[in-house]
Amino acid sequence: MKHAVLYTCIGLMGTAAIAGYSDYSRASKAGLLKDLYKEETPVTGSMPLTTKKVDMEDYSRAALEEAAQRAAKDELAVNAPPEQPKKKKKRVPPPPPPPPPSAPPPPPKPVVSVEGDVPPVPPANEMGEITVPPASPGVADIKEVTWENFSRAPLKHQKHVAKRNKRSNKVPS
Amino acid sequence: MNTRLLILTRTKKVFVVVFFWLPIAFFSLLLIRNTIPYFSFSRDFSFIQERAVLFLKPAYAVCFYLHIFAGMFCIGTALLQFSSTILRKRKKIHVWSGRIYVVVVLLLGAPTGLYMSFFAKGGFAERGLFMFMAISWFFFTLKGLTAILARQVLAHKIWMMRSYAMALTAVTFRVYYLMLYLYDVPLTLNYEVSLWISVIGNLMVTEYLVYRKSRSYLNTFTT
């Protein structure tokens, strides 16, 4: 048993040596082992090297400038006054004829404005047109939702409120 | 026994464990861990890509995978073999791991290593060194097996120390390669120098330890 193991192991080593030598000689004759393990030379040897100077200050500043520009744009968008709604022109009936010169002039109506109340209707201009501001100043008539006014786009229930207010502000002709 | 002498011997043992066995165990386990991905049989490893032409031959590819499989078991089992605690308390572990080591070296590791040594990196000297490593690894392991079968324990210890020195060149070679790489030594020169230092260095350390262990050192080559 001991000898069998011994001879088997020695036989294996012999086989490995013979196989290795024969494969090696075949591969070296075929030229496969010539460029094996050769370190590759760099390709850029014959090409002229061009160096481009990179301004490190500008390179690093570009990102900061872009960020600053974006921040400035956002600030402008935030601080910009809300868009004024379209002014509705309402026709008012012609004023009554002037009273005779003997009668005293009627007393002016006191204008009382209390916080929380609906603001008073402003006086008519020369043409007889009155501009009516919107009922709730917070809701803007935004039709286009862009990136800048995305956060200020009205919510659904506010849209309904705005519509209701528009209908109530209509003055019958 | 003198207390101071006792303390000295115990301190020496601790030093040997900390500065010798711990690094060897660490690097051996690291080598085993780094070998496992190769069994995905992928060709995306620098070692394989460098030898892409050789891997086209099925014989070389088979020998390579058998060799690293055998190497993993050799390095792993050999870590248990030098523990006197295991030998005293659990002798069966020593016996079975020793059997695995011997079978793996004699049937797989050494023959495949000899085949691959013909295609080793480096010049004629490096290929010759790899052949010497494969043959000596086989010879030392075979002598260690025959010694223990003949119940010659000291001879068995000495031959297995030499066999382990050959197996450990796989670990020490990588350590020296890394160290020289950090000093910016050119790759080809690094490879050759690390190889020679690992083989010759391991053999010299082993022979010194054998000399320290045995009374008649030269007789160990005849037993």
Side-chain angles (χ1 to χ4, degrees):
Chain A
M1 180 68 185
K2 198 169 96 179
H3 293 287
V5 169
L6 189 72
Y7 293 138
T8 310
C9 297
I10 292 170
L12 266 171
M13 285 295 277
T15 312
I18 293 164
Y21 179 72
S22 66
D23 283 349
Y24 171 77
S25 57
R26 216 181 300 158
S28 61
K29 276 178 192 171
L32 293 170
L33 303 178
K34 250 188 197 176
D35 295 325
L36 195 65
Y37 308 124
K38 258 193 183 171
E39 283 173 24
E40 286 176 6
T41 50
V43 178
T44 54
S46 56
M47 283 165 57
L49 287 170
T50 53
T51 52
K52 189 180 175 185
K53 195 178 175 185
V54 176
D55 193 351
M56 294 307 292
E57 283 185 3
D58 285 344
Y59 180 76
S60 61
R61 208 185 288 150
L64 291 171
E65 280 177 357
E66 274 178 31
Q69 280 172 8
R70 273 187 207 154
K73 272 187 187 172
D74 288 339
E75 277 180 21
L76 283 168
V78 166
N79 294 331
E83 285 177 4
Q84 291 295 328
K86 281 183 184 174
K87 291 179 182 176
K88 293 184 180 177
K89 293 180 183 176
K90 290 201 172 179
R91 279 212 158 178
V92 177
S102 59
K109 283 182 186 173
V111 178
V112 177
S113 67
V114 177
E115 279 184 17
D117 290 349
V118 176
V121 178
N125 58 9
E126 287 174 8
M127 297 295 290
E129 291 169 351
I130 298 171
T131 58
V132 179
S136 49
V139 176
D141 187 17
I142 297 166
K143 284 189 179 172
E144 271 185 25
V145 178
T146 60
W147 181 249
E148 284 172 11
N149 59 20
F150 182 75
S151 58
R152 286 186 284 114
L155 298 170
K156 275 185 183 174
H157 69 273
Q158 285 183 357
K159 275 186 191 168
H160 288 308
V161 165
K163 277 183 187 171
R164 242 187 283 138
N165 290 331
K166 275 182 211 172
R167 282 180 217 148
S168 61
N169 286 335
K170 274 181 188 172
V171 177
S173 54
Chain B
M1 206 184 196
N2 194 351
T3 319
R4 283 182 194 175
L5 205 63
L6 253 172
I7 292 166
L8 189 68
T9 46
R10 280 181 189 171
T11 314
K12 209 169 71 172
K13 275 185 187 173
V14 168
F15 262 85
V16 164
V17 166
V18 168
F19 290 104
F20 184 73
W21 284 113
L22 270 180
I24 284 179
F26 172 73
F27 287 115
S28 302
L29 294 171
L30 187 65
L31 178 64
I32 293 169
R33 183 219 177 247
N34 288 340
T35 309
I36 292 169
Y38 281 87
F39 291 102
S40 62
F41 301 106
S42 157
R43 299 292 162 103
D44 290 335
F45 298 100
S46 59
F47 185 92
I48 294 175
Q49 281 171 358
E50 204 179 14
R51 295 157 179 78
V53 170
L54 296 174
F55 273 87
L56 294 172
K57 289 173 186 272
Y60 188 90
V62 166
C63 282
F64 171 75
Y65 287 109
L66 282 175
H67 186 75
I68 60 173
F69 176 77
M72 274 169 54
F73 277 91
C74 283
I75 298 287
T77 53
L79 286 174
L80 302 170
Q81 295 304 90
F82 295 93
S83 167
S84 52
T85 315
I86 290 175
L87 198 59
R88 240 184 306 119
K89 294 187 179 178
R90 295 272 185 274
K91 200 175 173 186
K92 273 192 178 176
I93 294 174
H94 179 90
V95 169
W96 278 102
S97 70
R99 282 174 185 167
I100 292 168
Y101 179 88
V102 162
V103 163
V104 157
V105 170
L106 295 181
L107 295 179
L108 294 176
T112 53
L114 183 60
Y115 177 85
M116 287 167 59
S117 65
F118 285 94
F119 307 97
K121 190 174 177 179
F124 182 75
E126 282 70 43
R127 274 189 234 126
L129 189 64
F130 273 112
M131 278 181 223
F132 167 76
M133 277 164 63
I135 294 167
S136 58
W137 195 22
F138 177 84
F139 181 71
F140 296 152
T141 313
L142 191 63
K143 285 296 281 182
L145 174 66
T146 51
I148 198 60
L149 288 175
R151 300 281 186 266
Q152 295 168 355
V153 177
L154 184 63
H156 166 73
K157 267 191 189 176
I158 287 163
W159 284 114
M160 291 319 268
M161 279 166 69
R162 290 171 177 147
S163 167
Y164 184 58
M166 287 293 104
L168 208 61
T169 53
V171 174
T172 52
F173 164 73
R174 281 160 179 81
V175 173
Y176 294 130
Y177 190 85
L178 254 169
M179 278 166 50
L180 292 176
Y181 180 80
L182 292 171
Y183 281 99
D184 293 329
V185 176
L187 293 178
T188 316
L189 182 67
N190 185 358
Y191 183 88
E192 289 169 9
V193 169
S194 307
L195 187 64
W196 281 98
I197 291 174
S198 61
V199 174
I200 307 262
N202 283 15
L203 277 175
M204 283 173 67
V205 168
T206 311
E207 292 309 314
Y208 175 71
L209 292 172
V210 167
Y211 173 75
R212 287 281 303 270
K213 259 190 184 305
S214 64
R215 282 181 187 176
S216 52
Y217 171 68
L218 289 173
N219 289 341
T220 62
F221 289 96
T222 55
T223 51

